[in-house]
Amino acid sequence: MSKLIFEKSKPGRICANVPQAENEPSKPILDLIPENYIRREKLNLPEVSELELIRHFSELASKNFSIDKGFYPLGSCTMKYNPKINELVSRFERLSNLHPLQPEDQVQGALEIMFILSEYLKEISGFKAITLQPAAGAHGELTGLLMIKKYFEKKGDKKRTKVLVPDTAHGTNPATASMCNFTVVELKSNNKGQVDLDSLKSNLDETTAAIMLTNPNTLGIFEEDILTITKLVHQAGALQYYDGANLNAIMGIARPGDMGFDVCHLNLHKTFSTPHGGGGPGAGVVCCNEKLEPCLPIPILSKSKDGVFYWDYDRKDSIGKVKGYYGNFGMFVRALAYIWANGKEGLNQVSKDAVLNANYMKENLKKDYDLPYDIDCMHEFVLSGKRQKKHGVSTLAIAKRLLDFGVHSPTVYFPLVVQEAIMIEPTETESKEELDRFIEIMKQVAAEAISNPELVNGAPYNTPVGRVDEAHAARSLNLCWASSCK
Ligand SMILES: *Cc1c(COP(=O)(O)O)cnc(C)c1O
């Protein structure tokens, strides 16, 4: 972006005139502000007119890619469309103007929203208890593992220090386990892309605290041996954590609670349509069975015999709080609106369509790209760009070339068990025409990689910025508009 179009500030130019107050404040404002909070130097803000301001932000917004603008098959992220009515409802003033410190008797309606949502989520996941507090999937994992840790502490079982994580798990799983001070042991997958039972058996012993299972795993494959896995793990005295961030694949079809899991997180900001990207806000709610219920974070939302909702802080085995207040309330409103709008059959249809769309796309692309695990997938599937790589075109280049067609790139180089991985999640909200269009684009790029590798390697050509050094951008992030404040 050139300086000329970006730096619009002109001294003295303003958006609005604020009229002079008629009455002097009884106590001068400056006297009310603690000495060390008073700004001594002029704040160097851009000085622009209202029109320039609006144009500037509209221009920036139009450069940004979003699901409202185009297809967004970012595997494992479920970038599906968020119905606008959910946004509308969450912005109702009587909901959006509440403060979490208001007394319970003033916010019974809000508590009821959270209570009803909790009941639905327990039913959908097959668990007895829930907390809505965690703000993200990874945060839910942290909460669940801290509960497992507490459970063994309470039992006086100090030996259980290791957590088993399959090589097809989401990257946050091993990260969470190691943050909780567990030793992470990787389980190998078999040639069907599923947990190898021998690898599991040889790693299960009296030092195993838990297994963390992403299901469907990051290959988009449902663990067929899941009941055997849960049986073996319980026999060894360990607990089972279900990463249910991708519940989009199984709603109304199968429930983690019924599979024998002890605890599970769900990403409301994936499955239940609440928007995400850009780091939040989200909701990684945690559901559990009676074994772990006493360890849930405080407070627990409860309902008295007279139907009054209240926060229960009196729980001696709780891990404590994991977030300020009670979680991201706006997310709960959106999720409940989504559940109500779809109903039981609707949610079931969501999952069936998500799985159908992924399989349709997989079948249509498996001639043009390598498909390392050629079996039925769930909500997503993983191709490999190995064939294109032989022609000197990396998967990164394929991902960049896709941008020129106005679509978002799939997730690439993950999961690690697939070389040159391309992880595609079409979601249920796309039409057949849109799926076909993306299939055509993928085929064209596969053909270009062979006939004209330079073209693909030079991509993207149509985006506001070309290739960025992502590692450098993440480590030395500079969000300042002015060149002077590097
Ligand atoms: C997205 C995701 C997570 C992490 O969720 P965040 O909200 O990004 O922290 C964990 N597991 C799986 C399988 C996911 O897809």
Side-chain angles (χ1 to χ4, degrees), residues 76 136-139 141 170 172-173 214 243 245-246 265 267 269-270:
S76 211
H139 195 190
E141 291 172 30
H170 193 264
T172 47
N173 296 180
T214 302
D243 181 334
N246 297 331
H265 82 266
N267 280 18
H269 51 283
K270 287 180 182 168

Side-chain angles (χ1 to χ4, degrees), residues 161-327:
T161 52
K162 99 189 168 188
V163 168
L164 311 183
V165 183
D167 56 10
T168 55
H170 193 264
T172 47
N173 296 180
T176 302
S178 97
M179 262 186 84
C180 293
N181 237 343
F182 285 113
T183 308
V184 180
V185 178
E186 186 179 273
L187 297 181
K188 291 273 163 261
S189 47
N190 60 23
N191 59 5
K192 291 198 290 182
Q194 299 171 33
V195 172
D196 179 63
L197 290 180
D198 289 330
S199 174
L200 172 67
K201 282 179 204 157
S202 64
N203 280 298
L204 269 176
D205 55 31
E206 70 290 342
T207 68
T208 313
I211 183 171
M212 284 185 96
L213 204 73
T214 302
N215 188 52
N217 62 33
T218 55
L219 293 168
I221 295 171
F222 191 96
E223 298 284 346
E224 290 168 25
D225 294 322
I226 203 142
L227 296 179
T228 312
I229 295 172
T230 52
K231 202 166 114 205
L232 289 170
V233 172
H234 273 161
Q235 273 169 3
L239 294 182
Q240 353 222 29
Y241 187 99
Y242 188 102
D243 181 334
N246 297 331
L247 207 74
N248 218 42
I250 62 164
M251 270 190 301
I253 300 166
R255 307 194 304 170
D258 298 339
M259 298 174 205
F261 284 83
D262 298 290
V263 54
C264 152
H265 82 266
L266 313 176
N267 280 18
L268 301 192
H269 51 283
K270 287 180 182 168
T271 314
F272 297 92
S273 101
T274 54
H276 58 295
V285 308
V286 172
C287 309
C288 68
N289 62 14
E290 44 290 296
K291 262 188 243 169
L292 288 171
E293 185 178 7
C295 308
L296 279 168
I298 43 169
I300 290 291
L301 179 57
S302 306
K303 188 178 177 180
S304 76
K305 280 195 212 74
D306 320 324
V308 178
F309 298 100
Y310 66 98
W311 293 112
D312 179 7
Y313 279 89
D314 186 20
R315 301 172 68 93
K316 65 177 180 10
D317 294 327
S318 164
I319 58 166
K321 267 174 114 23
V322 295
K323 190 182 179 305
Y325 307 120
Y326 319 111

Side-chain angles (χ1 to χ4, degrees), residues 53-124:
L53 184 75
I54 295 291
R55 281 190 185 150
H56 172 70
F57 283 113
S58 301
E59 165 89 4
L60 282 184
S62 72
K63 287 196 164 95
N64 196 19
F65 190 88
S66 71
I67 184 70
D68 289 354
K69 210 164 151 180
F71 187 50
Y72 208 143
L74 191 65
S76 211
C77 294
T78 314
M79 303 305 281
K80 63 188 192 180
Y81 174 68
N82 307 295
K84 293 292 173 261
I85 190 159
N86 302 349
E87 292 304 310
L88 186 81
V89 175
S90 72
R91 285 170 171 73
F92 283 170
E93 268 186 31
R94 290 163 126 197
L95 300 174
S96 61
N97 284 348
L98 295 176
H99 193 282
L101 286 179
Q102 272 174 260
E104 283 163 5
D105 62 350
Q106 289 179 6
V107 291
Q108 284 292 305
L111 299 188
E112 187 170 5
I113 286 173
M114 292 191 246
F115 194 85
I116 296 172
L117 175 68
S118 298
E119 293 302 302
Y120 281 127
L121 295 175
K122 287 191 297 191
E123 174 68 26
I124 291 167

